[in-house]
Amino acid sequence: MTTNSTLTRPLTATEAIESRRSIRKFVQEPINQEDLHEILRLASLAPSAWNAQTWRFAVVQNPEIKAQLREAAYGQAQVTDAPAVIVVYSDMEDTLQTVEETAHPGMGEAGRTGQRGTFDRAFGTQEVAQRGAWGLTQANIAFGFLMVAARGLGYDTVPMLGFQPDKVKEILGLPEHVQFAGLLPVGKRAEEGFPHHRHSVDRIAKFY
Ligand SMILES: Cc1cc2nc3c(=O)[nH]c(=O)nc-3n(C[C@H](O)[C@H](O)[C@H](O)COP(=O)(O)O)c2cc1C
């Protein structure tokens, strides 16, 4: 168990999912850096097609940069209230340039060559924006894992898409082609948030 958590053990997946809710007011203390690293490591265990791992994380704790992000997020106060903001984006161009890294080492050189061939065939003739959209579908999986991982270690989050992407790219010095899964303020809750309000399973599921 991590050093700064108020929990005596990590929550189970069920407990983390049940108790996660969007939190927009946070305890004013820095986030434990080991916990932060562990949350990112857990999120990186998310699955992705061909193990592409298109997600990238920009972790912002610097107050001045958080203030700039808040401005890019239409002034939403949770961005500066949280001790850390994780910007989750997909970088499909980096993924393609370094795709051999994602081949399982157990597959050896043949695996690396195979991975390169797979990605070149699938994406080599696509426009950057089109393959970027595919990359984002993968990064969104890690975005979900990140929220559950944070909650599992006793932290709270609020996913956010209410921001101007071009401004965030400029603030963080990110290339034009990246696509955002979202901003994720992270910290310990200083409010209870709202109880879940969801469709019933019968409303959203069909069984065949
Ligand atoms: C992709 C995404 C984008 C969101 N963007 C914002 C946002 O910009 N600002 C905000 O306050 N909440 C945002 N939310 C939070 C939702 O309002 C919230 O998840 C939803 O109402 C369900 O509540 P819960 O998270 O407490 O279960 C976003 C949620 C998601 C998943």
Side-chain angles (χ1 to χ4, degrees):
M1 196 55 215
T2 53
T3 49
N4 191 38
S5 180
T6 47
L7 303 175
T8 53
R9 60 164 177 83
L11 302 183
T12 65
T14 304
E15 289 168 340
I17 290 167
E18 283 278 8
S19 64
R20 188 217 57 82
R21 51 182 58 177
S22 288
I23 294 296
R24 298 176 179 85
K25 285 194 169 56
F26 296 90
V27 175
Q28 297 303 301
E29 64 182 18
I31 191 164
N32 176 280
Q33 299 301 294
E34 280 175 41
D35 290 353
L36 185 56
H37 198 275
E38 179 64 359
I39 290 165
L40 295 168
R41 189 189 71 82
L42 290 169
S44 77
L45 298 182
S48 53
W50 293 314
N51 202 28
Q53 305 169 64
T54 59
W55 46 78
R56 303 290 183 266
F57 306 119
V59 184
V60 180
Q61 299 177 85
N62 178 305
E64 283 152 31
I65 303 177
K66 279 194 292 178
Q68 291 174 40
L69 288 179
R70 176 177 171 170
E71 206 181 317
Y74 309 105
Q76 295 190 72
Q78 61 268 25
V79 177
T80 48
D81 203 56
V85 178
I86 304 174
V87 182
V88 183
Y89 62 96
S90 101
D91 190 337
M92 190 59 184
E93 297 310 299
D94 181 37
T95 299
L96 289 175
Q97 280 159 25
T98 59
V99 79
E100 287 85 355
E101 289 175 14
T102 59
H104 197 283
M107 303 289 286
E109 198 48 41
R112 293 168 66 83
T113 309
Q115 189 80 335
R116 165 60 59 199
T118 299
F119 279 75
D120 283 353
R121 276 191 300 279
F123 301 109
T125 58
Q126 285 188 12
E127 300 284 336
V128 168
Q130 188 186 2
R131 62 197 187 200
W134 184 89
L136 182 59
T137 64
Q138 311 302 310
N140 282 326
I141 302 170
F143 196 46
F145 268 51
L146 196 53
M147 291 177 234
V148 177
R151 185 68 208 118
L153 293 182
Y155 291 89
D156 291 286
T157 59
V158 52
M160 294 177 60
L161 271 181
F163 60 88
Q164 293 167 278
D166 287 346
K167 288 207 170 148
V168 173
K169 284 179 201 171
E170 193 183 321
I171 293 163
L172 299 176
L174 299 174
E176 170 60 29
H177 62 255
V178 307
Q179 298 199 21
F180 292 105
L183 305 188
L184 195 71
V186 186
K188 297 268 176 73
R189 66 176 71 179
E191 64 171 6
E192 279 312 301
F194 296 101
H196 290 135
H197 169 63
R198 294 293 192 272
H199 287 307
S200 70
V201 170
D202 287 342
R203 168 74 176 75
I204 55 171
K206 285 192 169 90
F207 296 88
Y208 296 91

